[in-house]
Structure formats: structure tokens, C-alpha cells
Amino acid sequence: MTTDASGPGSRRSIAAQLRVLGVRPGATLLVHAALRSLGFVAGGPHAVVLALRDALGPDGTIVVPTHTPDNSDPAQWRNPPVPAGWWPLIRSEMPGFDPAVTPSRFMGVLAETVRGWPGALRSSHPHVSFAALGPAAEQVVAGHTLADMLGEGSPLARLYDLDADVLLLGVDHSVSTSLHLAEYRCPGSPRERLGAAVRTGDGAREWVWWQDVRLDADDFAALGEDLEATGAVRTAPVGTGTGTGRLMRQRAAVDFAVRWLARNRATEDV
């Protein structure tokens, strides 16, 4: 096993790199992360969350996606699909989403660490919830609507209102959830029927359906490359591995994405 002569990353070194990147004290920061690219960090995800909090200071708020894509209509599952004969049982037996205990899926260990942090709050959407930690947490996660789940009734819109920043840590724009807000702001975006299991007021569960925008991140990497060409994204190494931090104002990214999607995508109106 080889080691980096510069030593491992740490809470202190990661926080210093985040400050160089431009993380603003007191900001509200939406973080998407793949920590493996940061190399070895003493303390692992716990230390990275502490570093983020150090860089943001006591007035800053961390936000992470805590989505649960497995709590969805099994008829739409593709990776892998399941037999049609299973669909009714899955719909009837899927546990209702519980913000306090339902784990996120495929969001990464940093998101799960923030979700379980003392004092963290989580939005109530059964499919695309967010967790937040800090003074603005309740403002970000409250009132997450079932329909238009990443639109104007979502934490993404609250982040836009707060002039939040987005940090892509070891990942690219293909996973930048904020770009979905632009899809909602483009007239004629295709829509589809979605479903999920939710908890009812008496502690039971039920399956619910709603109409929503058909999300499509296939061109987000190309969109992000064009966004970076405008100079709106700051980049710098984070960690001791191959990790790159990308930092941007969410408003700038969303506003650019609205224009970009209007030029590059067809809608149901055309």
C-alpha cells in the first residue's frame, strides 16, 4: 500500500481548502459529494461534515439530498426492473416514508451522515427529501409539496430564495439537483404520473399518486460544462486524492439552466 507523502486529509485541511474554494461563512450550502475522490481523510465522513461546518461558521447551513428513489412506482423501475406480477405487492407493502428513520438511497455517505446528525431536519417528501443542518434548516425543508416535488414548493426553491451556494465535491454537474428546478421553470416540460408510500396521520401507511415533471438529467453534464465556460463556477482541489470542488451560486446555475434548456430541449408544446 502506498501513501501520499503530504499526509492524509483532515478536518482542518479540508476546511482550509473549502475556504480557498470560496465557501462563504454564514452561507446556506447544498452539497453533493462522493468522498472517495478526496483520498484518505482522518475521521472520514464525520470529519468532512465538521470541516464543512467550520468553513460555514455557526451561521451557515448545510443541505444535502436524502432522496429515496426506491419508494416509487415499481412499474417505472429500470435498474433493475421487477416482474409486473410483483407491482401490486410492492405498492401495498412498501413502508410509508418516515423522515426520522427512512434511509436515503444512492445519495452517498456524506448525505447519510448529515441526515443522522443531531439537530438535522428533513423534508417530508417520500421520494426527493432533503436534510438540513444549521440556522436556516427549517426554512429550507418546511412545506415540501408532494406535486412539483423539485419545483416551487421544494427546498430547491427555498435555496434559490436564500441565495444559496452549491458545492459539488468530487462529482460533476450530472448530479446537481438544483438544475431540476430549471426544468420546472421551463414551460411545456413533459409530465408523468408518480407514486410512493407515505405515512398517514394515524401512523398507518398508504400509496399515493401525483402528476409531476418528468425529470431528465441526461444532458446536465453538458449543461454544466457550458456553465463553467461562463466563469460562474469556482474549482479547486479538495482532499489529497483526485477530488475537485466546484462551487457556484445556485441562482446563477438555475437561471443559466433555464436559458440553456430552452435552447437545447424540446417540450410538449413543440
Side-chain angles (χ1 to χ4, degrees):
M1 178 178 177
T2 60
T3 59
D4 188 332
S6 65
S10 66
R11 170 183 178 176
R12 182 178 299 180
S13 68
I14 297 294
Q17 290 175 314
L18 292 171
R19 294 186 185 101
V20 169
L21 180 60
V23 171
R24 298 181 291 156
T28 300
L29 183 68
L30 174 60
V31 183
H32 298 271
L35 296 189
R36 181 175 298 181
S37 67
L38 274 59
F40 184 88
V41 178
H46 184 186
V48 177
V49 175
L50 290 171
L52 285 162
R53 301 195 78 185
D54 290 344
L56 288 167
D59 296 325
T61 299
I62 305 170
V63 184
V64 292
T66 52
H67 301 175
T68 47
D70 52 328
N71 186 7
S72 59
D73 182 14
Q76 297 174 323
W77 293 358
R78 297 292 180 267
N79 295 306
V82 294
W86 294 11
W87 300 350
L89 179 64
I90 291 171
R91 292 177 186 135
S92 66
E93 296 295 331
M94 179 74 70
F97 176 77
D98 184 344
V101 301
T102 303
S104 65
R105 292 291 302 276
F106 314 118
M107 297 294 103
V109 67
L110 181 80
E112 275 292 277
T113 303
V114 172
R115 181 186 71 80
W117 204 274
L121 302 178
R122 191 181 189 186
S123 70
S124 60
H125 201 280
H127 192 57
V128 289
S129 65
F130 292 78
L133 178 65
E138 184 172 2
Q139 186 176 353
V140 170
V141 304
H144 194 168
T145 58
L146 184 64
D148 291 329
M149 59 187 184
L150 294 179
E152 302 309 322
S154 76
L156 293 180
R158 304 292 75 74
L159 291 169
Y160 188 95
D161 295 341
L162 289 166
D163 192 20
D165 293 334
V166 176
L167 173 62
L168 304 178
L169 196 55
V171 296
D172 64 20
H173 300 271
S174 65
V175 300
S176 183
T177 312
S178 292
L179 301 181
H180 288 301
L181 180 59
E183 293 185 292
Y184 285 81
R185 294 183 174 181
C186 290
S189 291
R191 300 182 75 85
E192 63 182 347
R193 187 180 189 232
L194 300 177
V198 301
R199 296 179 74 205
T200 58
D202 59 2
R205 51 85 65 202
E206 66 178 347
W207 189 267
V208 296
W209 297 98
W210 70 95
Q211 292 289 325
D212 220 311
V213 165
R214 184 184 306 139
L215 303 178
D216 181 3
D218 287 350
D219 52 5
F220 282 4
L223 191 166
E225 289 180 3
D226 289 346
L227 174 64
E228 291 195 13
T230 70
V233 181
R234 297 187 63 167
T235 62
V238 179
T240 60
T242 60
T244 297
R246 292 176 168 86
L247 183 71
M248 67 213 80
R249 291 288 181 90
Q250 195 227 31
R251 286 182 182 175
V254 171
D255 293 347
F256 178 87
V258 170
R259 299 189 296 270
W260 192 96
L261 293 173
R263 293 194 305 269
N264 291 281
R265 280 193 190 178
T267 71
E268 290 188 338
D269 294 336
V270 298

